[in-house]
Amino acid sequence: MIYSIGSNIKVFACNSNRALAQSIAEKLGLTLGDAEVEKFSDGEISVKINETIRGADVFIIQSTSYPVNDNLMELLIMIDAMKRASAGRITAVIPYYGYARQDRKARARDPISAKLVANILTSAGANRVLTMDLHCAQIQGFFDIPVDNLVGSPLLTGFYERKYGDELQNFVAVSPDLGSVTRTRTFAERLNIPIAIIDKRRPKANVSEIMNIIGDVKGKKVILVDDMIDTAGTITNAANALKERGAIEVDACCTHAVLSGPAIKRIEESAITELLVLDTIALPEEKRIRKITIESVDTLFANAIKSIHEGISISRLFD
């Protein structure tokens, strides 16, 4: 569906996920703004805006995924360029918000990097942020500007409803850790299926150890639910443990497919039958393995951008 939208809106993209940005612009009936985001020979980032944006409602689409610091700097420099070119309003559209896992002091002398990034975005000149499934909802409170945090769960549950239909009565939604229980419960309520919880111990970062499974998964098909998958240690250990405890099939889903380090190899070798992810992070061809299915967030973000531009509430989109 292509929307009819006013003329005083411009959508630009940096380099992290241009395919998604292009698709969002097309849904809005727009073309991406004319801008060049390149690097000097020493690695410094160069941004050139090749059209007037004076007084315009500007949306800049950029996930701060790998390489995180380069992508963050691209976004900051483009925001600054827009501000200095007299844009009417600047909305940073960040489908995946990097540094979100550093949201509190877990140990003495830890930084709170999620707050620092919020401060920098605001200082650069962003008037608003549009994102999806922040790792911790309280990050919204780190900003002194409006933040709209879209929810990916309806896209994930919609996929399973279309794929399995009445067969869903044989499924159980599983939280891979205690921190994901609320997310998994919401997911399960949408599909009207029961939940189970994996109680795990994490001895150090990116290393998890399965301890216990709370709930009945024997003879059931299960769907593991998480907001992001990074090195895939948690999700693959959970899948293997569920299979050992009698689950007959293990699917998994997440909003943000970070998939760094050994993630792809672990997923390939795990008990996971299918991993459903959203395209908030661009997935290169070498990571698009047979087990991974991608659903797009383009329509949801296009709806949100249209609503923000027209001053319409977007709370209905959160559900």
Side-chain angles (χ1 to χ4, degrees):
M1 179 179 179
I2 296 176
Y3 304 105
S4 173
I5 199 161
S7 59
N8 196 34
I9 176 174
K10 292 184 183 289
V11 176
F12 288 84
C14 299
N15 291 324
S16 74
N17 200 340
R18 289 193 67 88
L20 174 60
Q22 182 68 51
S23 186
I24 291 171
E26 288 174 359
K27 295 283 184 185
L28 292 166
L30 303 171
T31 56
L32 281 178
D34 186 3
E36 301 170 36
V37 184
E38 299 171 340
K39 284 185 179 179
F40 292 110
S41 58
D42 65 351
E44 290 183 4
I45 292 163
S46 165
V47 172
K48 295 178 184 176
I49 312 299
N50 298 322
E51 62 181 270
T52 180
I53 49 97
R54 183 175 294 274
D57 194 7
V58 173
F59 294 81
I60 305 171
I61 301 172
Q62 174 82 331
S63 283
T64 50
S65 50
Y66 178 85
V68 181
N69 299 326
D70 284 356
N71 286 333
L72 178 58
M73 282 304 299
E74 284 184 5
L75 176 59
L76 293 170
I77 292 171
M78 184 172 278
I79 290 171
D80 181 72
M82 296 293 182
K83 180 177 71 172
R84 295 177 188 277
S86 302
R89 179 175 64 177
I90 303 168
T91 301
V93 181
I94 311 173
Y96 169 72
Y97 183 89
Y99 285 105
R101 285 172 284 183
Q102 299 180 43
D103 66 305
R104 65 195 186 283
K105 291 187 70 170
R107 298 179 302 272
R109 295 172 293 282
D110 271 0
I112 305 180
S113 305
K115 169 61 175 168
L116 175 62
V117 171
N119 288 346
I120 296 170
L121 284 165
T122 306
S123 297
N127 303 115
R128 190 180 196 102
V129 169
L130 173 62
T131 187
M132 173 173 272
D133 279 348
L134 287 168
H135 187 62
C136 297
Q138 66 263 27
I139 291 173
Q140 289 176 277
F142 293 175
F143 288 86
D144 294 323
I145 57 176
V147 178
D148 295 307
N149 183 26
L150 299 177
V151 178
S153 182
L155 298 176
L156 301 172
T157 54
F159 172 87
Y160 290 118
E161 285 172 334
R162 293 190 301 273
K163 180 172 181 178
Y164 293 114
D166 293 340
E167 293 179 43
L168 283 169
Q169 61 187 349
N170 300 317
F171 279 76
V172 176
V174 180
S175 173
D177 53 37
L178 295 175
S180 297
V181 171
T182 301
R183 182 182 303 109
T184 304
R185 184 179 292 115
T186 301
F187 179 93
E189 286 172 354
R190 290 181 183 279
L191 296 178
N192 195 27
I193 60 177
I195 76 166
I197 302 165
I198 293 177
D199 175 29
K200 74 172 195 294
R201 183 172 300 167
R202 188 188 292 274
K204 60 182 179 179
N206 292 328
V207 176
S208 65
E209 178 185 352
I210 301 301
M211 299 299 291
N212 194 24
I213 296 174
I214 305 165
D216 182 19
V217 298
K218 189 171 183 179
K220 298 284 188 177
K221 296 180 179 181
V222 303
I223 303 172
L224 279 159
V225 183
D226 213 343
D227 65 323
M228 71 170 68
I229 297 175
D230 187 356
T231 59
T234 295
I235 209 83
T236 54
N237 286 346
N240 296 336
L242 288 164
K243 208 67 185 282
E244 290 168 5
R245 305 294 174 87
I248 58 176
E249 181 180 312
V250 181
D251 288 341
C253 65
C254 72
T255 301
H256 307 300
V258 179
L259 302 183
S260 63
I264 295 298
K265 186 173 186 291
R266 285 174 172 173
I267 292 164
E268 283 274 37
E269 296 173 353
S270 74
I272 294 173
T273 302
E274 179 181 41
L275 171 61
L276 173 65
V277 303
L278 303 182
D279 62 348
T280 56
I281 297 173
L283 207 60
E285 284 300 323
E286 63 269 20
K287 293 185 178 181
R288 296 190 177 213
I289 59 174
R290 178 187 54 83
K291 284 189 175 185
I292 294 179
T293 300
I294 303 172
E295 283 280 289
S296 185
V297 298
D298 55 1
T299 299
L300 183 56
F301 272 93
N303 265 317
I305 289 171
K306 181 176 187 291
S307 297
I308 291 169
H309 175 63
E310 296 178 351
I312 300 170
S313 170
I314 67 170
S315 59
R316 60 191 171 83
L317 302 177
F318 295 170
D319 296 323

